[in-house]
Amino acid sequence: MNMSIRNRAVSATALTLAVSAVLTACGGGDGASSDTTAAKTTPGATPAGDVREPLVATFDGGLYILDGKSLELTSTIELPGFNRVNAAGDDDHVIVSTDTGFRVLDATGQTLTGITYEGAKPGHVVRHAGRTVLFTDGTGEVNVFDPADLSSGRKPEGRTYTSAEAHHGVAVALSNGELLTTLGTEEKRTGALVLDKNDREIARSENCPGVHGEAAAQGEAVAVGCEDGVLIYKDGEFTKVDAPDDYGRIGNQAGSDASPVLLGDYKTDPDAELERPTRVSLIDTRTAELRLVDLGTSYSFRSLGRGPHGEALVLGTNGTLHVIDPGTGEVEKKIPVVGAWLEPLDWQQPRPTLFVRDHTAYVSEPGERRLHAVDIETGEKLASVTLPKSTNELSGVIAGH
């Protein structure tokens, strides 16, 4: 899953009062979900059926499913409201967040399944160590399951944990059976704890104000972001990496099994309605060192990704995909992809979004109703498509994580 704006920024948007008081940029949507479960074939698209390596893009009122190679629009699913999408962790499925909870989409078969995880404000979806973890902000419930079990068509049996208090949180299942999950309340978030496979607490740190987001690096070093740096859990211990500024918020992160260095955003103005930073952070989980890289252009919470060899990827508002060596901080390549854009104040409004799978970077261009596929290593634009409506979120199937 998958990136955000602070709660004070959300409250300034044109959302309804009930929603704006509680949503953050990684929470659930504000619209009603639909009982529609079958794909509606789009005029000019191929008939519904299996689609190769599908992509899923949200638009106002539904989901587009596209062929991952050609970008051909294969079907449309009507689903009113603001919806979010994340890879489920297998070859076929995508998790859709609606206002009533998480729903499982069979993206290959182009249909919503009957598998649901109900609960207000569905939040982060995390894939790690062969497990997928769903965190429901409105209840504090954590659900852990093997994504391979989704193919049965039934709700997978898995682990469930309920946080002491509901909050906008995140959880990660580790390969040894441990579960890292955040600490907080609806008003304040403070850190994280780790449970063993029997839900016994074995580690805790409350030295992470405003905890938000997660990423895993090579060697299973797991980090959560703080308003003053990051908190890393590795080999049974927490380590705090302090930001160089008193307020240095790293609320969105991207990790890679191919690199010990995490990529994060970096914001320094706690009072901004919407800060548009130009610097990103690189956190070495081996040395607990933090490096800042100034790109000379701003970016959004949907701009971060990782390449197949651990490259740090950032989509700038200048329309360029920046390819960064995470070890040196050098911008090795700049790939023009879309036109220049400005991040909107309302986090739910569309803006160019980056989704990475293998050697391909997929980038949406909502202002032009376009979607592009780019080869990360060569910079070649592999395919482009114009869609009936502007898209917002973008994801697809990703197995083996």
Side-chain angles (χ1 to χ4, degrees), residues 11-94:
S11 64
T13 68
L15 303 178
T16 62
L17 180 60
V19 175
S20 65
V22 296
L23 282 180
T24 68
C26 291
D30 67 339
S33 62
S34 168
D35 291 332
T36 301
T37 57
K40 175 183 177 182
T41 303
T42 303
T46 58
D50 286 357
V51 58
R52 297 179 303 163
E53 300 178 5
L55 299 175
V56 180
T58 69
F59 64 91
D60 185 11
L63 311 170
Y64 289 136
I65 300 178
L66 304 99
D67 183 285
K69 295 294 186 182
S70 67
L71 299 189
E72 178 187 6
L73 175 58
T74 60
S75 61
T76 299
I77 293 179
E78 295 180 356
L79 192 64
F82 178 76
N83 303 298
R84 314 200 69 190
V85 286
N86 286 277
D90 69 348
D91 288 320
D92 299 311
H93 296 89
V94 166

Side-chain angles (χ1 to χ4, degrees), residues 18 25 74 101 104 116 118 150 177 179 201 206 210 223 259 269 276 291 302 307 324 327 344 350-351 368-369 385 387:
T74 60
V104 177
T116 63
E118 295 182 354
L150 293 172
L179 179 70
E201 183 178 322
E206 297 191 51
S259 172
D269 185 355
R276 295 184 172 97
R291 179 201 307 266
R302 292 186 183 141
I324 305 168
R351 81 285 313 279
E368 302 295 330
R369 296 185 288 112
V385 65
L387 297 168

